[in-house]
Amino acid sequence: AFSTVPNLVVTDDDRREKELWIKNNGASDSFDSTLGAYDATTNRGTGGNIGANGDITLDKDTAISGSVSAGDAIHDTESGVTISGTRTPLAAAKSFPSITPSTTPTSGLSIGNNATVNLTAGTYYYTTINIGNNSSITTSGGPVTIYVTGEVDIGNSVTIGANPGTNLEIIAKSDGADTSSVEFEAGNTFTFYGSFYGKNTDVDLGNDAKIYGSMLARTIKMGNNAKIHYDLALANKSMCTSGKYLVKLGTWREVIPGS
């Protein structure tokens, strides 16, 4: 998980000095989907690194099984916070490519309550995404890429994707100025399998969220009891069709000259 926005760009009092914010009882770790589903006993590791170009705030009883790197301060003074790896405040800023879809979306995706939509292998372009409560998006037939340029509004108890998360990538708004952003908001008990890239997207997840994959956004706020399980199978997976963005184990990006 990584928050791309520089420190002090966010002016909302609730988010100031919290570009990446994990609330009470949150956690991060890693697993390898090529070995099967996440399992706290047999398929769990300490590669759950998190980072930000701004501040990171970890609330009470948050457990990071990995390293923490922040462009400014790491606020982890509440009781019960643990970090198994290195703790690096004032780290050098990391840059990320701006992505504009090659095809301009003309319509949104809307899913009502208690519904399931299956997306077959391919690339999809949406202006917005709205998903009702107790609903899901599944994929079949091979990898699916979703581009969404506007707001994403997700209800409670929604699941997007399935293990392995290497079959799904979402590329949200990732162009424009640092101050130009859209919201990706999910209710409680949100589950996501895949890679998420949203350089100019503010992610706000409710309580009990579970991420099985990776998440890069302008800002990230995770509710109580949220869990990030980084999928090691994404370590060398290209996340953008431009071919210039790779998730690399232990880092957050690699720019390939000439590609």
Side-chain angles (χ1 to χ4, degrees):
F2 196 94
S3 165
T4 67
V5 73
N7 196 39
L8 301 180
V9 172
V10 178
T11 58
D12 185 341
D13 286 342
D14 184 49
R15 297 302 306 277
R16 194 170 297 173
E17 297 187 338
K18 296 177 179 177
E19 281 79 18
L20 173 55
W21 182 13
I22 301 178
K23 301 187 77 173
N24 299 333
N25 300 299
S28 73
D29 57 15
S30 63
F31 77 111
D32 187 342
S33 64
T34 64
L35 303 176
Y38 172 84
D39 185 279
T41 302
T42 62
N43 192 3
R44 178 181 182 272
T46 58
N49 303 332
I50 64 173
N53 281 334
D55 290 82
I56 293 176
T57 296
L58 306 175
D59 285 350
K60 183 179 178 182
D61 295 325
T62 294
I64 305 299
S65 292
S67 297
V68 178
S69 174
D72 199 69
I74 300 172
H75 306 278
D76 61 342
T77 58
E78 291 197 30
S79 63
V81 175
T82 59
I83 298 171
S84 71
T86 59
R87 183 181 182 278
T88 309
L90 302 177
K94 295 176 174 60
S95 60
F96 300 90
S98 293
I99 303 296
T100 300
S102 57
T103 298
T104 301
T106 58
S107 61
L109 173 65
S110 183
I111 303 174
N113 295 334
N114 306 301
T116 297
V117 168
N118 181 71
L119 300 179
T120 56
T123 302
Y124 298 81
Y125 302 88
Y126 300 117
T127 53
T128 58
I129 295 177
N130 292 275
I131 304 176
N133 299 326
N134 304 301
S135 298
S136 62
I137 294 177
T138 60
T139 65
S140 62
V144 168
T145 298
I146 298 173
Y147 287 88
V148 55
T149 55
E151 303 288 328
V152 177
D153 188 8
I154 297 172
N156 297 315
S157 301
V158 169
T159 297
I160 297 179
N163 193 67
T166 50
N167 282 332
L168 175 63
E169 90 182 315
I170 295 179
I171 301 176
K173 179 174 171 58
S174 296
D175 54 9
D178 288 330
T179 54
S180 172
S181 62
V182 299
E183 187 90 3
F184 180 107
E185 186 172 4
N188 297 327
T189 323
F190 171 65
T191 304
F192 173 67
Y193 297 85
S195 56
F196 179 93
Y197 186 93
K199 180 184 175 184
N200 278 32
T201 301
D202 293 313
V203 171
D204 188 348
L205 306 181
N207 298 331
D208 300 302
K210 290 182 175 61
I211 306 300
Y212 298 92
S214 65
M215 180 161 283
L216 183 147
R218 180 178 180 268
T219 64
I220 300 174
K221 175 184 176 183
M222 305 192 73
N224 298 327
N225 306 305
K227 306 294 188 290
I228 307 168
H229 307 295
Y230 171 60
D231 185 355
L232 298 174
L234 296 172
N236 290 297
K237 181 182 183 297
S238 175
M239 287 183 65
C240 301
T241 55
S242 66
K244 293 187 178 182
Y245 185 88
L246 295 177
V247 177
K248 297 289 288 184
L249 184 61
T251 68
W252 289 274
R253 59 92 179 96
E254 176 180 315
V255 177
I256 306 173
S259 62

